[in-house]
């Protein structure tokens, strides 16, 4: 479990192909390494990974083929910067929102525009993903907890980034056309799933009525 509050930036030191998978070796500050151990979870640009090796200034993770397909970890290369957040510990402050590190997919940065001291980033993504968003709801982009802006369409949405966020995360480096990892609010997913089940359960059809005995010869009284 994470909160979407990036604690440091790491840099990819090396990438090692492992059949269809990849091992990533990431250099990071001591403040991150002190919180890690073998088998610990850490979010890389919002993607939950397991630490498989540690040394003086790096850690290693093993990203499987499905992770590489769904997230941007399949495209990172040596020298790239990554947002880092170790797993939430007991008693740690919940500064953002509940983040699982289970990325739903990627969205495309469509535009950037100044809004006072902030910058509005507009994105386009799959309709089934964007429909999980609500204005002023929570969203995780490349591991950063953000608030969905009011301009929400069927396949588009926006967020507002303050100067601090642009400075301490990789979102300040992103350019139009870049792909960004996105994880929608897990609470919203459960609500959608629940409502979808109720709709299906409440749908009447000729077949369902027939199974219930309606429409049989002689009918029912």
């Amino acid at each position: 479990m994470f909160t979407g509050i990036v604690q440091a930036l790491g840099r990819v030191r090396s990438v090692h192909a492992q059949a269809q998978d990849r091992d990533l070796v990431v250099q990071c500050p001591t403040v991150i390494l002190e919180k890690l151990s073998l088998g610990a979870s850490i979010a890389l640009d919002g993607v939950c990974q397991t630490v498989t090796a540690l040394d003086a200034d790096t850690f290693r993770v093993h990203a499987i083929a499905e992770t590489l397909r769904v997230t941007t970890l399949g495209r990172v290369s040596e020298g790239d910067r990554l947002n880092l957040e170790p797993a939430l510990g007991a008693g740690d402050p919940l500064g953002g929102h509940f983040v699982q590190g289970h990325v739903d997919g990627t969205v495309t940065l469509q535009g950037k525009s100044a809004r006072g001291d902030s910058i509005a980033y507009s994105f386009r993504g799959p309709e089934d993903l964007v429909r999980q968003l609500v204005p002023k709801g929570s969203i995780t982009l490349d591991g950063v907890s953000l608030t969905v802006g009011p301009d929400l369409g069927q396949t588009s949405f926006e967020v507002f980034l303050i100067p601090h966020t642009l400075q301490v995360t990789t979102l300040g480096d992103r350019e139009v056309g870049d792909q960004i990892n996105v994880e929608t609010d897990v609470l919203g997913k459960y609500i959608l799933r629940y409502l979808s089940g109720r709709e299906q359960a409440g749908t009447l059809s000729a077949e369902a009525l027939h199974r219930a005995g309606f429409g049989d010869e002689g009918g029912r009284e």
Side-chain angles (χ1 to χ4, degrees), residues 55-85:
D55 65 20
D57 64 345
T58 67
F59 64 88
R60 180 187 289 254
V61 300
H62 182 88
I64 64 173
E66 176 66 8
T67 299
L68 301 178
R69 182 186 69 82
V70 174
T71 77
T72 60
L73 291 188
R75 296 187 286 274
V76 299
S77 57
E78 184 177 333
D80 286 351
R81 299 201 305 168
L82 299 171
N83 295 321
L84 303 180
E85 183 187 359

Short mmCIF file of all heavy atoms in Angstrom, two decimals, residues 55-85:
data_model
loop_
_atom_site.label_atom_id
_atom_site.label_comp_id
_atom_site.label_asym_id
_atom_site.label_seq_id
_atom_site.Cartn_x
_atom_site.Cartn_y
_atom_site.Cartn_z
N ASP A 55 22.38 -2.98 -2.71
CA ASP A 55 23.79 -2.74 -2.39
C ASP A 55 23.93 -1.33 -1.84
O ASP A 55 22.95 -0.75 -1.37
CB ASP A 55 24.71 -3.03 -3.58
CG ASP A 55 24.50 -2.08 -4.74
OD1 ASP A 55 23.93 -0.99 -4.54
OD2 ASP A 55 24.91 -2.42 -5.87
N ALA A 56 25.10 -0.75 -1.90
CA ALA A 56 25.37 0.51 -1.20
C ALA A 56 24.50 1.66 -1.67
O ALA A 56 24.10 2.51 -0.86
CB ALA A 56 26.85 0.88 -1.36
N ASP A 57 24.19 1.72 -2.96
CA ASP A 57 23.40 2.86 -3.44
C ASP A 57 22.37 2.49 -4.50
O ASP A 57 21.82 3.36 -5.16
CB ASP A 57 24.32 3.96 -3.98
CG ASP A 57 25.10 3.52 -5.21
OD1 ASP A 57 25.17 2.30 -5.47
OD2 ASP A 57 25.65 4.38 -5.91
N THR A 58 22.09 1.19 -4.67
CA THR A 58 21.10 0.77 -5.66
C THR A 58 20.23 -0.35 -5.10
O THR A 58 20.57 -1.01 -4.12
CB THR A 58 21.74 0.26 -6.96
OG1 THR A 58 22.45 -0.95 -6.69
CG2 THR A 58 22.68 1.30 -7.56
N PHE A 59 19.10 -0.55 -5.76
CA PHE A 59 18.28 -1.74 -5.52
C PHE A 59 17.86 -2.29 -6.88
O PHE A 59 17.90 -1.59 -7.90
CB PHE A 59 17.06 -1.42 -4.65
CG PHE A 59 16.07 -0.48 -5.27
CD1 PHE A 59 15.04 -0.93 -6.09
CD2 PHE A 59 16.17 0.89 -5.05
CE1 PHE A 59 14.13 -0.06 -6.66
CE2 PHE A 59 15.26 1.78 -5.62
CZ PHE A 59 14.24 1.30 -6.43
N ARG A 60 17.46 -3.55 -6.89
CA ARG A 60 17.06 -4.22 -8.13
C ARG A 60 15.64 -4.74 -7.99
O ARG A 60 15.24 -5.20 -6.91
CB ARG A 60 18.01 -5.38 -8.43
CG ARG A 60 17.68 -6.16 -9.71
CD ARG A 60 18.57 -7.39 -9.84
NE ARG A 60 19.94 -7.04 -10.15
CZ ARG A 60 20.52 -7.21 -11.34
NH1 ARG A 60 19.83 -7.73 -12.35
NH2 ARG A 60 21.78 -6.88 -11.53
N VAL A 61 14.88 -4.66 -9.09
CA VAL A 61 13.54 -5.25 -9.13
C VAL A 61 13.43 -6.08 -10.40
O VAL A 61 14.19 -5.88 -11.36
CB VAL A 61 12.43 -4.18 -9.11
CG1 VAL A 61 12.50 -3.34 -7.85
CG2 VAL A 61 12.48 -3.30 -10.36
N HIS A 62 12.48 -7.00 -10.40
CA HIS A 62 12.24 -7.86 -11.56
C HIS A 62 10.83 -7.57 -12.07
O HIS A 62 9.84 -7.87 -11.40
CB HIS A 62 12.37 -9.34 -11.18
CG HIS A 62 12.18 -10.27 -12.32
ND1 HIS A 62 13.21 -10.67 -13.14
CD2 HIS A 62 11.06 -10.89 -12.80
CE1 HIS A 62 12.75 -11.50 -14.07
NE2 HIS A 62 11.45 -11.65 -13.88
N ALA A 63 10.73 -6.97 -13.25
CA ALA A 63 9.44 -6.62 -13.83
C ALA A 63 9.03 -7.68 -14.84
O ALA A 63 9.77 -7.96 -15.79
CB ALA A 63 9.52 -5.25 -14.52
N ILE A 64 7.86 -8.28 -14.63
CA ILE A 64 7.40 -9.36 -15.50
C ILE A 64 6.79 -8.78 -16.78
O ILE A 64 6.53 -7.58 -16.89
CB ILE A 64 6.39 -10.27 -14.79
CG1 ILE A 64 5.12 -9.48 -14.43
CG2 ILE A 64 7.01 -10.89 -13.55
CD1 ILE A 64 4.01 -10.36 -13.88
N ALA A 65 6.55 -9.65 -17.75
CA ALA A 65 6.09 -9.23 -19.07
C ALA A 65 4.78 -8.44 -19.00
O ALA A 65 4.60 -7.45 -19.72
CB ALA A 65 5.93 -10.44 -19.99
N GLU A 66 3.84 -8.87 -18.16
CA GLU A 66 2.56 -8.17 -18.06
C GLU A 66 2.75 -6.75 -17.55
O GLU A 66 2.12 -5.81 -18.04
CB GLU A 66 1.61 -8.94 -17.13
CG GLU A 66 0.27 -8.27 -16.89
CD GLU A 66 -0.61 -8.17 -18.13
OE1 GLU A 66 -0.25 -8.75 -19.18
OE2 GLU A 66 -1.66 -7.50 -18.06
N THR A 67 3.63 -6.58 -16.57
CA THR A 67 3.93 -5.23 -16.06
C THR A 67 4.53 -4.37 -17.16
O THR A 67 4.18 -3.19 -17.31
CB THR A 67 4.89 -5.32 -14.87
OG1 THR A 67 4.28 -6.06 -13.81
CG2 THR A 67 5.26 -3.93 -14.36
N LEU A 68 5.43 -4.95 -17.93
CA LEU A 68 6.07 -4.20 -19.01
C LEU A 68 5.07 -3.81 -20.09
O LEU A 68 5.19 -2.76 -20.73
CB LEU A 68 7.20 -5.04 -19.63
CG LEU A 68 8.31 -5.47 -18.66
CD1 LEU A 68 9.32 -6.34 -19.38
CD2 LEU A 68 8.99 -4.27 -18.02
N ARG A 69 4.05 -4.66 -20.29
CA ARG A 69 3.04 -4.38 -21.31
C ARG A 69 2.08 -3.28 -20.89
O ARG A 69 1.73 -2.40 -21.68
CB ARG A 69 2.24 -5.66 -21.61
CG ARG A 69 1.19 -5.49 -22.71
CD ARG A 69 0.35 -6.75 -22.85
NE ARG A 69 -0.52 -6.95 -21.71
CZ ARG A 69 -1.70 -6.35 -21.56
NH1 ARG A 69 -2.14 -5.50 -22.48
NH2 ARG A 69 -2.44 -6.59 -20.49
N VAL A 70 1.68 -3.30 -19.62
CA VAL A 70 0.63 -2.39 -19.15
C VAL A 70 1.18 -1.03 -18.73
O VAL A 70 0.48 -0.02 -18.83
CB VAL A 70 -0.14 -3.05 -17.98
CG1 VAL A 70 -1.15 -2.08 -17.37
CG2 VAL A 70 -0.85 -4.30 -18.46
N THR A 71 2.43 -0.98 -18.28
CA THR A 71 3.00 0.24 -17.72
C THR A 71 4.15 0.76 -18.57
O THR A 71 4.58 0.12 -19.53
CB THR A 71 3.50 -0.01 -16.29
OG1 THR A 71 4.76 -0.70 -16.34
CG2 THR A 71 2.51 -0.83 -15.48
N THR A 72 4.68 1.90 -18.15
CA THR A 72 5.80 2.50 -18.87
C THR A 72 7.14 1.86 -18.51
O THR A 72 8.16 2.22 -19.11
CB THR A 72 5.89 4.01 -18.58
OG1 THR A 72 6.07 4.21 -17.17
CG2 THR A 72 4.62 4.72 -19.03
N LEU A 73 7.16 0.92 -17.57
CA LEU A 73 8.44 0.29 -17.22
C LEU A 73 9.01 -0.50 -18.40
O LEU A 73 10.21 -0.79 -18.42
CB LEU A 73 8.26 -0.63 -16.01
CG LEU A 73 7.98 0.05 -14.67
CD1 LEU A 73 8.04 -0.96 -13.53
CD2 LEU A 73 8.94 1.20 -14.41
N GLY A 74 8.17 -0.84 -19.35
CA GLY A 74 8.67 -1.53 -20.53
C GLY A 74 9.47 -0.64 -21.45
O GLY A 74 10.14 -1.12 -22.37
N ARG A 75 9.42 0.68 -21.21
CA ARG A 75 10.11 1.63 -22.09
C ARG A 75 11.23 2.40 -21.40
O ARG A 75 11.89 3.21 -22.05
CB ARG A 75 9.09 2.61 -22.68
CG ARG A 75 8.05 1.96 -23.56
CD ARG A 75 7.18 2.98 -24.26
NE ARG A 75 6.22 3.60 -23.37
CZ ARG A 75 5.03 3.09 -23.09
NH1 ARG A 75 4.66 1.93 -23.62
NH2 ARG A 75 4.20 3.70 -22.28
N VAL A 76 11.42 2.19 -20.10
CA VAL A 76 12.48 2.95 -19.43
C VAL A 76 13.84 2.44 -19.88
O VAL A 76 14.01 1.28 -20.25
CB VAL A 76 12.36 2.85 -17.89
CG1 VAL A 76 11.05 3.42 -17.42
CG2 VAL A 76 12.55 1.43 -17.41
N SER A 77 14.82 3.33 -19.85
CA SER A 77 16.17 2.98 -20.26
C SER A 77 17.18 3.57 -19.29
O SER A 77 16.82 4.37 -18.40
CB SER A 77 16.44 3.47 -21.69
OG SER A 77 16.24 4.86 -21.79
N GLU A 78 18.41 3.19 -19.44
CA GLU A 78 19.47 3.66 -18.56
C GLU A 78 19.52 5.19 -18.52
O GLU A 78 19.48 5.84 -19.55
CB GLU A 78 20.81 3.10 -19.04
CG GLU A 78 21.99 3.44 -18.15
CD GLU A 78 23.27 2.79 -18.63
OE1 GLU A 78 23.18 1.73 -19.30
OE2 GLU A 78 24.35 3.35 -18.36
N GLY A 79 19.55 5.72 -17.31
CA GLY A 79 19.61 7.17 -17.12
C GLY A 79 18.27 7.82 -16.85
O GLY A 79 18.22 8.97 -16.39
N ASP A 80 17.17 7.12 -17.12
CA ASP A 80 15.84 7.69 -16.87
C ASP A 80 15.61 7.87 -15.37
O ASP A 80 16.05 7.07 -14.55
CB ASP A 80 14.75 6.77 -17.42
CG ASP A 80 14.65 6.83 -18.93
OD1 ASP A 80 15.31 7.70 -19.54
OD2 ASP A 80 13.92 6.00 -19.51
N ARG A 81 14.88 8.93 -15.03
CA ARG A 81 14.52 9.18 -13.63
C ARG A 81 13.17 8.55 -13.33
O ARG A 81 12.28 8.49 -14.19
CB ARG A 81 14.47 10.68 -13.34
CG ARG A 81 15.80 11.38 -13.55
CD ARG A 81 15.86 12.70 -12.80
NE ARG A 81 14.75 13.59 -13.13
CZ ARG A 81 14.45 14.69 -12.45
NH1 ARG A 81 15.17 15.01 -11.38
NH2 ARG A 81 13.45 15.47 -12.82
N LEU A 82 13.01 8.11 -12.08
CA LEU A 82 11.77 7.46 -11.64
C LEU A 82 11.32 8.05 -10.31
O LEU A 82 12.14 8.34 -9.44
CB LEU A 82 11.98 5.96 -11.46
CG LEU A 82 12.41 5.14 -12.68
CD1 LEU A 82 12.77 3.73 -12.25
CD2 LEU A 82 11.30 5.11 -13.72
N ASN A 83 10.01 8.21 -10.16
CA ASN A 83 9.44 8.57 -8.86
C ASN A 83 9.47 7.36 -7.94
O ASN A 83 9.05 6.27 -8.34
CB ASN A 83 7.99 9.05 -9.02
CG ASN A 83 7.88 10.32 -9.83
OD1 ASN A 83 8.70 11.22 -9.69
ND2 ASN A 83 6.87 10.40 -10.68
N LEU A 84 9.94 7.55 -6.71
CA LEU A 84 10.07 6.43 -5.77
C LEU A 84 9.22 6.67 -4.53
O LEU A 84 9.19 7.78 -3.98
CB LEU A 84 11.53 6.26 -5.34
CG LEU A 84 12.57 6.03 -6.44
CD1 LEU A 84 13.95 5.89 -5.82
CD2 LEU A 84 12.22 4.80 -7.27
N GLU A 85 8.55 5.61 -4.10
CA GLU A 85 7.84 5.63 -2.82
C GLU A 85 7.87 4.24 -2.20
O GLU A 85 7.30 3.30 -2.75
CB GLU A 85 6.39 6.07 -2.98
CG GLU A 85 5.67 6.16 -1.63
CD GLU A 85 4.18 6.42 -1.73
OE1 GLU A 85 3.66 6.56 -2.86
OE2 GLU A 85 3.52 6.47 -0.67
#
